Amino acid sequence: MNTTRHRALTAGAAAVSAVLAIVIGVRLSGYGVPFALLLACCLSCMATFSSLLFRVIGAWSTTTHHCTRPGCDFRVSLTHADAAESRCWQEIAAHHPHRSH
């Protein structure tokens, strides 16, 4: 994923989070919730939604290569790697020195 696309997705996630928090705030204001509590609820909702969406974006742009040896839990996670770099790390993960226990 290129940098421009990543920035656009991040900005979109922040905007969606803000809109959802505002919608929740508007609905809560109809029940006469005090402003300080309303602000706290909106900010916590925005933080939660942003965190979730940023994690989804991060997972979508991450590639993970595992060791091919059964029982080995060695893995390499790459974010924003090109095809050549990803292939290099895939080979490293497949042939890393195995520790014997």
Side-chain angles (χ1 to χ4, degrees):
M1 181 183 325
N2 63 25
T3 304
T4 304
R5 187 174 183 179
H6 181 72
R7 287 182 182 166
L9 284 173
T10 302
V16 167
S17 299
V19 168
L20 289 172
I22 290 169
V23 168
I24 289 171
V26 168
R27 294 194 66 187
L28 284 175
S29 68
Y31 292 101
V33 175
F35 180 75
L37 184 57
L38 187 64
L39 182 63
C41 288
C42 289
L43 291 175
S44 67
C45 286
M46 184 170 171
T48 302
F49 295 141
S50 295
S51 176
L52 172 67
L53 292 174
F54 293 157
R55 285 179 181 254
V56 169
I57 291 169
W60 186 39
S61 63
T62 300
T63 302
T64 303
H65 298 294
H66 300 273
C67 176
T68 56
R69 184 177 180 183
C72 183
D73 61 354
F74 180 82
R75 68 178 181 211
V76 177
S77 296
L78 307 170
T79 305
H80 310 299
D82 61 11
E85 184 179 10
S86 181
R87 180 66 183 157
C88 177
W89 281 103
Q90 183 180 21
E91 291 174 6
I92 290 170
H95 299 101
H96 79 93
H98 302 287
R99 293 188 342 188
S100 58
H101 294 278

